[in-house]
Amino acid sequence: MNDFSIPGSQSTPAIAGNWAEGVLSMQGDSYPENSFELFGPVLNWTQSFLGQAEHPLRLELKLLYLNTSSVKAIMDLFDLLEEAHRGGHQVAVNWYYDRRNERVAQLAAEFKEDFTFAFAIIGEDYE
Amino acid sequence: MKTRPPQLDQRIEDLLADPAHAENALHAPLQELWQLHRDHLSRLDRITHLSDSFQSMVRDRELSLTERFDKQLRQLQKIARISDRYQEMLRDINDALKEASTHDALTGLANRRLIMDRLREEADRSSRLGQSFVLAMVDVDYFKRINDTLGHDVGDRVLVAISRSMQAGLREYDLCGRWGGEEFLLLLPQTEMEDAMSVVSRIHEAIRELRFAEDGADLTITASMGVAGHKTGDSYAQTLKRADDALLEAKRQGKDCVLSA
């Protein structure tokens, strides 16, 4: 249906939503000037997907630094997933991190706490 | 409220229904009164029902508000916790960058930038409080030969060992920095020349006592040093120049010695 893609910048992550594949991906640092402007469409897209689509949704994340309002936006996004998951929609999060930066994994684990849907924290070796 | 005897309702219904009393003068008013009574009853029921549902609605809303409030509170706490950790991460990165920008990667000593900062501070302090400081410029003798004959790996190891030795010989508030390739600068704050010379001479001796076994050959390292005390009113650049001149003179006189300006 409707796909979207926002190119990344120094202060904002690259974000893309693929309806047919059921994948929402985000990668990079996130300290936008206006996080509602950036994440509003992402939350709307996710809400539509979970409301209309029948197939599973998977989040592919490679997020490094998040400022406070970005942390809030990601948490809102996970809350949507949790609600959908409890309603029987299949959802999953894959959070990738550079094995040399173990702290990103610890932060992802903090996010994961309290959520009951599939949430994998996956270490990778980057060059 | 006083309750009616259970049979009363039925008795009145029966009396009103009995055709024998249809002509009774009381029949019509009783019929009206009975109807009025039933209307009142049903209205009372409706009011009670409305009032009950209103109360339970308010209670439900309060419950859901409390629930939402608790949920938001939990989310807020989580956000704050995570955000704090991101900040910690940034602060550590910041510290690492600061360390990298003020220290020499090979030896871990202060780099030239940090030395210059400290020199400025000490010169300011000296002009304000009249306290003196001493600088010692250190140059490793024949270092180029070590690099050329034994390789840069050995050269690097020698520099690291000398750095450790010098730091071990200094006092806590002294500063040892890498000035350039095989040149080091020692900064001894609030120190008179006589005390400084004994510290520097000890360090000079300690370097000579370092032992490196490379390719079976024992390697002895020596250093030349030029020492200068800061004179109140001078710029630190002038003091630096005097220490450098003393070092040059030490080298000219055959190296492996400490000279003061």
Side-chain angles (χ1 to χ4, degrees):
Chain A
M1 296 268 269
N2 55 337
D3 293 349
F4 78 98
S5 157
I6 305 168
S9 73
Q10 194 183 1
S11 60
T12 58
I15 311 177
N18 186 321
W19 191 285
E21 286 184 22
V23 174
L24 175 65
S25 63
M26 289 193 248
Q27 51 232 256
D29 285 325
S30 184
Y31 47 99
E33 252 173 60
N34 187 337
S35 76
F36 298 99
E37 214 169 86
L38 176 69
F39 289 108
V42 181
L43 287 164
N44 284 338
W45 184 89
T46 308
Q47 214 154 16
S48 308
F49 185 99
L50 293 170
Q52 294 162 31
E54 301 282 329
H55 56 297
L57 178 64
R58 194 173 81 243
L59 262 57
E60 297 279 317
L61 306 178
K62 275 182 203 173
L63 294 168
L64 297 170
Y65 174 70
L66 302 175
N67 69 359
T68 307
S69 59
S70 302
V71 171
K72 159 97 172 90
I74 298 297
M75 203 90 87
D76 287 342
L77 190 61
F78 288 167
D79 278 344
L80 288 179
L81 296 190
E82 179 70 17
E83 203 187 308
H85 169 68
R86 287 175 194 262
H89 204 125
Q90 200 182 328
V91 296
V93 169
N94 290 329
W95 190 313
Y96 302 92
Y97 71 97
D98 185 340
R99 243 186 264 281
R100 284 168 305 182
N101 197 349
E102 203 51 47
R103 297 180 85 159
V104 174
Q106 289 167 10
L107 279 158
E110 290 261 5
F111 272 106
K112 180 180 176 175
E113 225 175 74
D114 309 329
F115 294 121
T116 60
F117 53 83
F119 194 129
I121 300 166
I122 302 161
E124 293 188 316
D125 294 310
Y126 299 122
E127 279 313 302
Chain B
M1 200 165 63
K2 218 170 151 186
T3 50
R4 283 164 289 149
Q7 311 90 339
L8 182 59
D9 283 17
Q10 194 53 54
R11 270 165 55 210
I12 290 174
E13 294 273 2
D14 290 349
L15 283 171
L16 285 172
D18 188 347
H21 304 296
E23 297 307 318
N24 192 313
L26 293 177
H27 185 270
L30 181 64
Q31 176 83 56
E32 266 175 60
L33 191 62
W34 184 239
Q35 190 54 48
L36 197 63
H37 165 69
R38 302 249 314 240
D39 288 354
H40 276 158
L41 265 189
S42 98
R43 179 170 302 184
L44 196 63
D45 268 2
R46 276 177 52 210
I47 289 172
T48 312
H49 179 71
L50 275 175
S51 162
D52 281 358
S53 28
F54 185 71
Q55 269 186 30
S56 80
M57 188 187 80
V58 168
R59 213 195 53 215
D60 284 355
R61 204 170 60 185
E62 243 172 49
L63 271 179
S64 92
L65 271 179
T66 314
E67 228 167 70
R68 262 162 50 206
F69 177 77
D70 284 347
K71 192 171 167 240
Q72 297 251 353
L73 194 64
R74 274 200 307 275
Q75 202 202 38
L76 195 64
Q77 285 166 342
K78 192 169 167 180
I79 290 170
R81 203 171 58 233
I82 292 179
S83 191
D84 280 356
R85 296 194 61 164
Y86 274 113
Q87 272 186 37
E88 259 170 52
M89 191 166 93
L90 277 196
R91 214 188 45 219
D92 287 353
I93 292 172
N94 204 30
D95 286 350
L97 280 178
K98 194 172 169 193
E99 170 79 16
S101 72
T102 53
H103 288 77
D104 172 53
L106 175 68
T107 60
L109 295 179
N111 67 9
R112 200 162 169 143
R113 184 202 309 264
L114 181 55
I115 298 172
M116 296 299 269
D117 282 351
R118 283 291 303 276
L119 280 177
R120 256 189 295 273
E121 278 171 29
E122 286 305 326
D124 281 354
R125 204 193 312 272
S126 165
S127 56
R128 273 201 326 272
L129 309 171
Q131 290 165 336
S132 185
F133 63 89
V134 174
L135 293 183
M137 195 70 100
V138 181
D139 189 84
V140 183
D141 297 329
Y142 306 108
F143 184 71
K144 193 175 181 308
R145 202 190 288 168
I146 299 169
N147 262 343
D148 290 347
T149 56
L150 299 169
H152 284 88
D153 283 3
V154 177
D156 282 354
R157 277 206 290 282
V158 166
L159 290 178
V160 171
I162 289 175
S163 302
R164 290 216 184 104
S165 166
M166 286 194 296
Q167 282 219 290
L170 287 174
R171 300 158 303 182
E172 205 181 324
Y173 43 89
D174 297 330
L175 178 75
C176 174
R178 191 170 175 196
W179 189 247
E182 71 268 26
E183 271 195 322
F184 299 89
L185 187 77
L186 309 179
L187 165 62
L188 295 77
Q190 296 177 39
T191 308
E192 294 303 325
M193 200 56 183
E194 197 181 324
D195 298 328
M197 281 307 276
S198 82
V199 172
V200 172
S201 300
R202 253 198 335 265
I203 288 174
H204 179 255
E205 197 53 40
I207 292 175
R208 203 212 311 263
E209 283 166 12
L210 288 173
R211 284 294 169 268
F212 302 88
E214 295 296 340
D215 292 338
D218 271 355
L219 187 61
T220 303
I221 304 291
T222 61
S224 305
M225 303 185 178
V227 187
H230 182 71
K231 296 175 185 159
T232 308
D234 273 7
S235 71
Y236 68 84
Q238 284 170 299
T239 312
L240 211 48
K241 175 81 169 60
R242 283 171 42 237
D244 209 27
D245 288 346
L247 170 63
L248 278 177
E249 187 54 34
K251 297 220 129 191
R252 215 172 281 133
Q253 289 186 14
K255 309 186 190 245
D256 188 17
C257 61
V258 182
L259 285 191
S260 66

